[in-house]
Amino acid sequence: NAGVMQNPRHLVRRRGQEARLRCSPVKGHSHVYWYRQLPEEGLKFMVYLQKENIIDESGMPKERFSAEFPKEGPSILRIQQVVRGDSAAYFCASSPRARSEQYFGPGTRLTVT
Amino acid sequence: GENVEQHPSTLSVQEGDSAVIKCTYSDSASNYFPWYKQELGKRPQLIIDIRSNVGEKKDQRIAVTLNKTAKHFSLHITETQPEDSAVYFCAASIVRNTGFQKLVFGTGTRLLVSP
């Protein structure tokens, strides 16, 4: 019974490159959430997606960041032209319904050099 | 507004003692309050949650209490063990105009249980 899977676990990018983070939710979960965690800080909501739809992206920067959750395949968080300030742990969570408990993946630790 | 305050930021206890972590929230419409435990370099794990139609919930050594009037909720860990050492995050739900239940997290409490 696999939980939320994320890959890669660690990602190093130079400034200006693109970062692609993948999240496979728990089997049967159609609700996916992305969070960012800076060192020594809490989790900040970025975006909420259901299959093929972005429901709420109020926590995601308007520029350089995008997210998708296609009909087939994992959810993708994409960061274009990364900057040092994007260095953080990015966690994905999934839930079976809109207002139920969220289960987190192991995170992707992005380092921008 | 969307704000969850969590105290203390660090908490050191001796093995066997109790630990209490407190959170306050600002949105009176919040109705779901989960607690997550995060060990170093690991994923946040849901350990207990409470909904606003109850005042207290217990699961073995862990309990959560909720005071909706005061907008406070607390995590209580009894008979602490070294493996309880981790960062604990509280969260409160904010229902957005899209119907989406957004979780707003506290800043975390680093709990250290000494043997």
mmCIF file of all heavy atoms in Angstrom, chain B residues 25 28 33 52 66-73:
data_model
loop_
_atom_site.group_PDB
_atom_site.id
_atom_site.type_symbol
_atom_site.label_atom_id
_atom_site.label_comp_id
_atom_site.label_asym_id
_atom_site.label_seq_id
_atom_site.Cartn_x
_atom_site.Cartn_y
_atom_site.Cartn_z
ATOM 1 N N TYR B 25 -5.481 30.189 16.596
ATOM 2 C CA TYR B 25 -5.792 30.478 15.204
ATOM 3 C C TYR B 25 -6.670 31.708 15.126
ATOM 4 O O TYR B 25 -7.259 32.135 16.125
ATOM 5 C CB TYR B 25 -6.440 29.268 14.528
ATOM 6 C CG TYR B 25 -7.740 28.809 15.164
ATOM 7 C CD1 TYR B 25 -8.967 29.197 14.650
ATOM 8 C CD2 TYR B 25 -7.721 27.952 16.267
ATOM 9 C CE1 TYR B 25 -10.150 28.764 15.219
ATOM 10 C CE2 TYR B 25 -8.906 27.513 16.846
ATOM 11 C CZ TYR B 25 -10.116 27.930 16.318
ATOM 12 O OH TYR B 25 -11.289 27.503 16.894
ATOM 13 N N SER B 28 -12.350 32.253 12.747
ATOM 14 C CA SER B 28 -13.376 31.594 13.556
ATOM 15 C C SER B 28 -14.122 30.514 12.777
ATOM 16 O O SER B 28 -14.812 29.688 13.361
ATOM 17 C CB SER B 28 -14.360 32.628 14.105
ATOM 18 O OG SER B 28 -14.912 33.383 13.051
ATOM 19 N N PHE B 33 -8.430 20.588 12.669
ATOM 20 C CA PHE B 33 -7.160 20.930 13.295
ATOM 21 C C PHE B 33 -6.283 19.680 13.400
ATOM 22 O O PHE B 33 -6.379 18.914 14.358
ATOM 23 C CB PHE B 33 -7.415 21.521 14.693
ATOM 24 C CG PHE B 33 -8.408 22.659 14.669
ATOM 25 C CD1 PHE B 33 -9.759 22.413 14.833
ATOM 26 C CD2 PHE B 33 -7.988 23.964 14.477
ATOM 27 C CE1 PHE B 33 -10.688 23.441 14.792
ATOM 28 C CE2 PHE B 33 -8.904 25.008 14.444
ATOM 29 C CZ PHE B 33 -10.254 24.745 14.599
ATOM 30 N N SER B 52 -14.221 20.439 14.832
ATOM 31 C CA SER B 52 -14.752 21.410 15.788
ATOM 32 C C SER B 52 -16.015 20.948 16.495
ATOM 33 O O SER B 52 -16.515 21.650 17.363
ATOM 34 C CB SER B 52 -15.018 22.741 15.095
ATOM 35 O OG SER B 52 -15.936 22.564 14.037
ATOM 36 N N LEU B 66 -9.525 21.202 22.172
ATOM 37 C CA LEU B 66 -9.926 22.337 21.343
ATOM 38 C C LEU B 66 -10.858 23.242 22.127
ATOM 39 O O LEU B 66 -11.838 22.772 22.705
ATOM 40 C CB LEU B 66 -10.623 21.830 20.077
ATOM 41 C CG LEU B 66 -11.292 22.874 19.178
ATOM 42 C CD1 LEU B 66 -10.257 23.825 18.587
ATOM 43 C CD2 LEU B 66 -12.086 22.195 18.072
ATOM 44 N N ASN B 67 -10.570 24.523 22.139
ATOM 45 C CA ASN B 67 -11.440 25.528 22.741
ATOM 46 C C ASN B 67 -11.820 26.505 21.637
ATOM 47 O O ASN B 67 -11.055 27.412 21.307
ATOM 48 C CB ASN B 67 -10.709 26.244 23.882
ATOM 49 C CG ASN B 67 -11.585 27.267 24.582
ATOM 50 O OD1 ASN B 67 -12.498 27.841 23.985
ATOM 51 N ND2 ASN B 67 -11.318 27.517 25.843
ATOM 52 N N LYS B 68 -12.997 26.299 21.049
ATOM 53 C CA LYS B 68 -13.393 27.117 19.891
ATOM 54 C C LYS B 68 -13.659 28.559 20.278
ATOM 55 O O LYS B 68 -13.421 29.476 19.499
ATOM 56 C CB LYS B 68 -14.635 26.514 19.233
ATOM 57 C CG LYS B 68 -14.352 25.328 18.353
ATOM 58 C CD LYS B 68 -15.121 25.398 17.050
ATOM 59 C CE LYS B 68 -14.483 26.329 16.038
ATOM 60 N NZ LYS B 68 -15.190 26.364 14.762
ATOM 61 N N THR B 69 -14.150 28.759 21.485
ATOM 62 C CA THR B 69 -14.454 30.129 21.928
ATOM 63 C C THR B 69 -13.179 30.961 21.972
ATOM 64 O O THR B 69 -13.142 32.104 21.521
ATOM 65 C CB THR B 69 -15.125 30.109 23.304
ATOM 66 O OG1 THR B 69 -16.283 29.269 23.234
ATOM 67 C CG2 THR B 69 -15.516 31.505 23.741
ATOM 68 N N ALA B 70 -12.143 30.373 22.529
ATOM 69 C CA ALA B 70 -10.870 31.079 22.665
ATOM 70 C C ALA B 70 -9.978 30.906 21.450
ATOM 71 O O ALA B 70 -8.915 31.518 21.368
ATOM 72 C CB ALA B 70 -10.144 30.581 23.916
ATOM 73 N N LYS B 71 -10.374 30.052 20.532
ATOM 74 C CA LYS B 71 -9.594 29.744 19.332
ATOM 75 C C LYS B 71 -8.217 29.199 19.702
ATOM 76 O O LYS B 71 -7.191 29.628 19.159
ATOM 77 C CB LYS B 71 -9.479 30.977 18.416
ATOM 78 C CG LYS B 71 -10.817 31.397 17.816
ATOM 79 C CD LYS B 71 -10.618 32.433 16.729
ATOM 80 C CE LYS B 71 -11.466 33.648 17.001
ATOM 81 N NZ LYS B 71 -11.216 34.764 16.110
ATOM 82 N N HIS B 72 -8.228 28.262 20.642
ATOM 83 C CA HIS B 72 -7.006 27.598 21.077
ATOM 84 C C HIS B 72 -7.150 26.107 20.845
ATOM 85 O O HIS B 72 -8.247 25.548 21.015
ATOM 86 C CB HIS B 72 -6.804 27.762 22.594
ATOM 87 C CG HIS B 72 -6.413 29.141 23.012
ATOM 88 N ND1 HIS B 72 -6.396 29.525 24.329
ATOM 89 C CD2 HIS B 72 -6.017 30.217 22.309
ATOM 90 C CE1 HIS B 72 -6.021 30.788 24.404
ATOM 91 N NE2 HIS B 72 -5.801 31.241 23.201
ATOM 92 N N PHE B 73 -6.046 25.440 20.516
ATOM 93 C CA PHE B 73 -6.022 23.991 20.564
ATOM 94 C C PHE B 73 -4.631 23.546 20.986
ATOM 95 O O PHE B 73 -3.646 24.271 20.759
ATOM 96 C CB PHE B 73 -6.480 23.349 19.245
ATOM 97 C CG PHE B 73 -5.697 23.719 18.029
ATOM 98 C CD1 PHE B 73 -4.936 22.767 17.366
ATOM 99 C CD2 PHE B 73 -5.755 24.999 17.478
ATOM 100 C CE1 PHE B 73 -4.240 23.079 16.204
ATOM 101 C CE2 PHE B 73 -5.056 25.321 16.327
ATOM 102 C CZ PHE B 73 -4.292 24.352 15.689
#
